[in-house]
Amino acid sequence: MHVPDGFINAPTSVATGVVAAGAVAVSLRGARRELDERTAPLAGLVAAFIFAVQMLNFPVAAGTSGHLLGGALAAILVGPYTGVLCISVVLLMQGILFADGGLTALGVNITDMAVVTVIVAYAVFRGLVKVLPRTRRSITAASFVASLLSVPAAALAFTFLYWIGGTTDVAIGKVAGAMVGVHVLIGIGEAAITALTVGAVIAVRPDLVHGAHDLRAPLKLRVGGELVDAPAPEAPVAARTSHRKVWLAGLAASVVLAGFVSFYASADPDGLEKVAADHGIDRKAKEHAVSDSPLADYGVKDVDDARLSGGLAGVIGVGLTVVAGSAVFWAVRRRRAGDTSPSSTAVEKL
């Protein structure tokens, strides 16, 4: 789904760049309400984990593969605003360091892979959570459905953008059918990965999952023969597994996936690449601006062994993404702390 340079014309690329910049600006403000001292480190880890899993292309049809988009997973784990930022950080790192996704198409990719997937997934997820029983299984099931639907939604969004600003003359109806068809299959893989990950985190620390807030039913007290909600505690009861252990386990999993498991990923073109090749969309594709990057195509320059080169690139990518993501989210959290400081509160009262 990473759109390269040349697929979309300049006016549409500029317009989607403005949309993406606006979405990131809104998300930076909204993320202040979602991040605290526990979830800010988790958000950086989520970005690194999505980077790692996106290296694991899985086969979905003859000659076609797919990989996680991650919008649903990020939104459910750390919140929709923070989720948009997570995917944006991943796309920025991929475009600048690994020549994956065009730089002129960065606005297209953020709009499609971050904004559309998060909005669709989180809307579906919240709708399902409201009607399903308040259980961990319900959260996991809602995660599966939400992520499944978010992928073909992103495929439709790309088709719409290509209809507006595509650089080749193709039958858009055929493109839409091909894109949605293959991305429904990719969505099944995305849904499985998302549900397994959300379920695993809920099993050890449900309080760290933004989408699992509904599991915290208010304590009921009997007063005068009637049940009333007890006042919410000032701080949650400590969980059996510390958030530091969760963070370290997640980082270790990301390193293993990107550094070792990625070597066995499918080498077939992903859904967009296959559709682009079949329908002539790739005729106007341009060479990436940083195609000579030392990490281009997820390999380390001058390292001849393919397994070692890809593994090193994956580990470096995870490390750089977790550092960049954590820096962004800690800065957002500090801004939130500054906005709610006693001095600012006193000024507001005056």
Side-chain angles (χ1 to χ4, degrees):
M1 189 66 78
H2 291 76
V3 179
D5 296 315
F7 274 26
I8 305 294
N9 63 26
T12 307
S13 296
V14 171
T16 53
V18 172
V19 172
V24 169
V26 171
S27 297
L28 283 169
R29 188 172 185 85
R32 298 180 199 173
R33 300 190 298 270
E34 296 172 347
L35 296 171
D36 56 29
E37 67 279 358
R38 295 174 303 148
T39 55
L42 179 63
L45 174 63
V46 168
F49 182 78
I50 289 172
F51 173 90
V53 180
Q54 283 194 0
M55 293 182 66
L56 308 180
N57 280 46
F58 48 85
V60 295
T64 309
S65 69
H67 64 70
L68 183 82
L69 298 186
L73 178 61
I76 294 166
L77 286 179
V78 292
Y81 294 109
T82 309
V84 169
L85 297 178
C86 282
I87 305 300
S88 298
V89 167
V90 172
L91 291 171
L92 186 62
M93 302 298 289
Q94 290 170 333
I96 293 176
L97 298 177
F98 297 89
D100 188 9
L103 296 184
T104 62
L106 184 60
V108 174
N109 285 321
I110 290 177
T111 300
D112 193 20
M113 295 178 64
V115 179
V116 171
T117 57
V118 166
I119 290 176
V120 172
Y122 201 69
V124 172
F125 176 80
R126 294 308 308 171
L128 290 173
V129 166
K130 287 182 179 179
V131 299
L132 292 174
R134 200 196 304 257
T135 65
R136 294 180 180 179
R137 289 185 179 180
S138 296
I139 299 295
T140 304
S143 302
F144 184 95
V145 176
S147 55
L148 173 62
L149 295 178
S150 70
V151 178
L156 280 175
F158 166 78
T159 305
F160 176 72
L161 292 174
Y162 198 82
W163 175 61
I164 294 174
T167 53
T168 57
D169 185 15
V170 298
I172 202 66
K174 292 183 178 179
V175 173
M179 284 291 290
V180 172
V182 70
H183 283 89
V184 166
L185 299 177
I186 294 173
I188 296 173
E190 171 118 6
I193 295 170
T194 300
L196 287 172
T197 305
V198 171
V201 179
I202 288 178
V204 293
R205 285 296 298 267
D207 59 305
L208 294 180
V209 179
H210 180 88
H213 289 173
D214 286 348
L215 291 179
R216 306 174 196 174
L219 178 65
K220 297 287 186 179
L221 296 177
R222 187 174 297 278
V223 179
E226 296 182 0
L227 289 177
V228 298
D229 291 342
E234 294 183 0
V237 179
R240 288 175 294 178
T241 304
S242 70
H243 67 271
R244 180 174 296 179
K245 290 182 179 179
V246 172
W247 191 91
L248 290 174
L251 182 61
S254 301
V255 169
V256 170
L257 291 173
F260 300 97
V261 181
S262 62
F263 181 78
Y264 302 98
S266 173
D268 291 331
D270 66 23
L272 176 58
E273 291 172 334
K274 185 68 166 60
V275 172
D278 289 346
H279 293 81
I281 294 175
D282 61 353
R283 291 197 301 267
K284 294 293 184 71
K286 298 179 180 179
E287 185 178 9
H288 201 284
V290 294
S291 58
D292 58 349
S293 165
L295 298 172
D297 297 324
Y298 298 94
V300 177
K301 190 175 181 179
D302 297 330
V303 176
D304 296 328
D305 184 272
R307 185 190 297 267
L308 179 61
S309 177
L312 285 174
V315 172
I316 292 171
V318 167
L320 292 176
T321 303
V322 76
V323 169
S326 298
V328 169
F329 300 124
W330 274 112
V332 172
R333 177 187 172 272
R334 287 175 64 87
R335 181 69 179 271
R336 172 191 176 182
D339 290 344
T340 58
S341 63
S343 59
S344 63
T345 304
V347 170
E348 289 178 3
K349 289 181 178 180
L350 292 175

